[in-house]
Amino acid sequence: MTTPFSFSLGATDGQARTGAITTSRGTIRTPAFMPVGTAGTVKAVQMRDVKATGADIILGNTYHLMLRPTAERVARFGGLHKFSTWEGPILTDSGGFQVMSLSAMRKLTEEGVSFQSHIDGSKHMLTPERSIEIQCLLGADIQMQLDECPPFPISEEASLESLELSVRWAKRSKAAFEEIAGRHQALYGIVQGSVFPDQRKRSAEALQEIGFPGYSVGGLAVGEGREAMFGVLDVTTPLLPKDKPRYLMGVGKPLDLVGAVERSIDMFDCVLPTRSGRHGQAWTWDGPLNLKNAQFVDDETPLDPASDCPASRDYTKGYLNHLFRAGEYLGPMLLSWHNLDFYQRLMAAMREAIAEGRFDQFAEEFRARHRERKG
Ligand SMILES: Nc1ccc2nc(N)nc(O)c2c1
């Protein structure tokens, strides 16, 4: 149980790289996509099926679990792994981002952020110390510092103020982590600085001063758009240590993943595959399909006959179309499952292409084939 956290680089191909993160609950093959299991469940998909798609690690949320069922209750059940039956590594976000996007009556001070629950209006306070305490009660293998994710757009001076607060919170998060976390657990720093290159540099350098075994790139996927996001990665990832994992938070669509791997990102999480699956959107090598669309009513082909995932291989698009039109539970279940499997097959294909030194060709062919919008 006390295998220390470690990262080993595998192959590099341009800026893209493969690697392996060793944790006490298993190894994470990078580049890795983490299915989002916000409230201790990857919505509408059983953990054994999440595992079968090839996911090595899932994400949980401090914000949601502290409100319901509370971190203390999860700890009494033996931690999030036992409570949810996910036996592999779990990464938890620290809650600040979710407080700002979900809660009411938020008040942010140097101490932390106070807020009212979006569920029952109860009052709560998240400080760097309390966030680490919650993540340890959950038993997360990889934890996040408490940070402030600035809104987009934001003025340069407001962004700098926010970045400096997040650096002070990084120090406090690390101090709290060193007090109570186990040797097998890891804490990542989160780089901020919005879309300002000099601020990204300042944040990356300040966090390395403090020292972390992994670095998240935060403050993106907040409406800045793909080109601006890639522009931030172009200036940020070269500043981070090559021998430590880089995690791009909240990203993204398949084309975002390919472009970010091209800019040496190792880890991703996004609600898109499960959230869009619940609403009838299937992701494929050729781009997204809206299976509620009339064009699929009589379509007798599966989403991907080449997949070993039952949701992708054993059901016709016509049947899936029927399930969504009839409002049947099985529709969201099957599409969430298929989309997670597609995301894992995309990650596996990228890992293989990097290992074989042909990632540029893979990326070019994928971008030519994957049409995000019809026409
Ligand atoms: N786009 C995102 C998603 C999640 C985040 N979580 C944290 N802690 N910080 C950020 O900046 C995030 C950005």
Side-chain angles (χ1 to χ4, degrees):
M1 179 59 172
T2 54
T3 318
F5 174 95
S6 69
F7 176 61
S8 60
L9 263 182
T12 54
D13 184 352
Q15 287 191 63
R17 76 252 195 95
T18 63
I21 301 174
T22 305
T23 76
S24 57
R25 285 193 170 88
T27 299
I28 302 154
R29 297 161 290 177
T30 66
F33 180 80
M34 301 183 278
V36 172
T38 292
T41 155
V42 176
K43 293 188 187 324
V45 187
Q46 293 189 66
M47 290 307 190
R48 63 168 189 212
D49 296 330
V50 173
K51 184 88 190 130
T53 65
D56 293 330
I57 176 171
I58 64 170
L59 177 141
N61 270 310
T62 290
Y63 173 77
H64 297 76
L65 291 164
M66 72 184 279
L67 297 181
R68 184 177 52 192
T70 77
E72 286 73 12
R73 177 164 289 112
V74 174
R76 288 197 295 274
F77 275 91
L80 189 53
H81 298 81
K82 206 149 167 263
F83 191 51
S84 69
T85 76
W86 174 260
E87 291 164 2
I90 294 179
L91 178 147
T92 46
D93 200 353
S94 44
F97 178 81
Q98 291 76 27
V99 166
M100 300 317 273
S101 46
L102 289 168
S103 73
M105 305 301 284
R106 306 178 289 266
K107 192 167 171 306
L108 188 132
T109 64
E110 183 67 35
E111 180 58 15
V113 56
S114 60
F115 61 94
Q116 282 188 274
S117 161
H118 71 287
I119 297 167
D120 61 12
S122 53
K123 290 187 176 4
H124 298 266
M125 175 82 181
L126 253 190
T127 62
E129 295 77 14
R130 175 63 178 149
S131 176
I132 296 300
E133 182 184 28
I134 290 168
Q135 296 180 75
C136 286
L137 284 165
L138 298 174
D141 305 280
I142 302 176
Q143 304 183 13
M144 294 299 122
Q145 70 156 92
L146 185 67
D147 64 324
E148 185 194 11
C149 174
F152 178 82
I154 185 172
S155 70
E156 268 195 85
E157 59 267 37
S159 170
L160 184 59
E161 246 176 77
S162 172
L163 170 165
E164 301 291 8
L165 175 67
S166 288
V167 169
R168 295 193 295 275
W169 283 3
K171 282 195 191 85
R172 287 171 53 190
S173 299
K174 184 176 177 180
F177 181 84
E178 287 177 338
E179 282 292 307
I180 61 172
R183 275 174 35 79
H184 64 293
Q185 292 168 307
L187 176 69
Y188 283 17
I190 302 178
V191 179
Q192 293 292 355
S194 189
V195 293
F196 308 114
D198 55 325
Q199 294 189 15
R200 286 284 172 178
K201 184 171 188 301
R202 185 181 179 119
S203 177
E205 288 171 349
L207 291 176
Q208 287 172 77
E209 275 290 299
I210 301 165
F212 291 96
Y215 294 88
S216 303
V217 181
L220 292 175
V222 289
E224 76 283 356
R226 181 171 287 153
E227 287 324 305
M229 177 172 77
F230 286 166
V232 168
L233 295 183
D234 286 335
V235 301
T236 304
T237 51
L239 299 168
L240 296 172
K242 287 199 178 337
D243 63 344
K244 294 192 167 72
R246 297 87 180 268
Y247 162 29
L248 177 54
M249 308 185 88
V251 175
K253 292 181 178 177
L255 287 174
D256 299 323
L257 300 179
V258 173
V261 166
E262 228 162 9
R263 294 166 173 83
S264 80
I265 293 291
D266 306 303
M267 299 169 73
F268 301 90
D269 87 274
C270 191
V271 294
L272 185 65
T274 37
R275 181 176 294 171
S276 64
R278 292 197 299 279
H279 299 109
Q281 185 171 55
W283 289 89
T284 74
W285 294 104
D286 300 312
L289 304 175
N290 179 349
L291 285 179
K292 295 180 192 170
N293 193 303
Q295 72 185 88
F296 296 111
V297 169
D298 292 317
D299 188 324
E300 298 185 23
T301 65
L303 284 167
D304 188 342
S307 168
D308 62 2
C309 173
S312 314
R313 185 197 54 201
D314 300 342
Y315 299 88
T316 63
K317 297 190 189 81
Y319 178 68
L320 291 164
N321 176 279
H322 160 65
L323 292 180
F324 278 94
R325 287 177 178 237
E328 287 292 339
Y329 290 107
L330 190 59
M333 290 165 65
L334 290 176
L335 269 204
S336 300
W337 189 6
H338 159 79
N339 284 345
L340 288 176
D341 185 72
F342 173 70
Y343 266 58
Q344 293 303 333
R345 279 182 283 126
L346 173 59
M347 301 315 290
M350 287 201 275
R351 294 192 296 263
E352 194 182 299
I354 295 166
E356 294 171 5
R358 54 179 175 77
F359 182 71
D360 283 351
Q361 183 194 342
F362 172 85
E364 199 182 317
E365 285 168 4
F366 183 79
R367 278 192 275 264
R369 180 177 178 187
H370 190 82
R371 313 308 317 151
E372 268 184 358
R373 261 173 288 285
K374 289 290 151 251

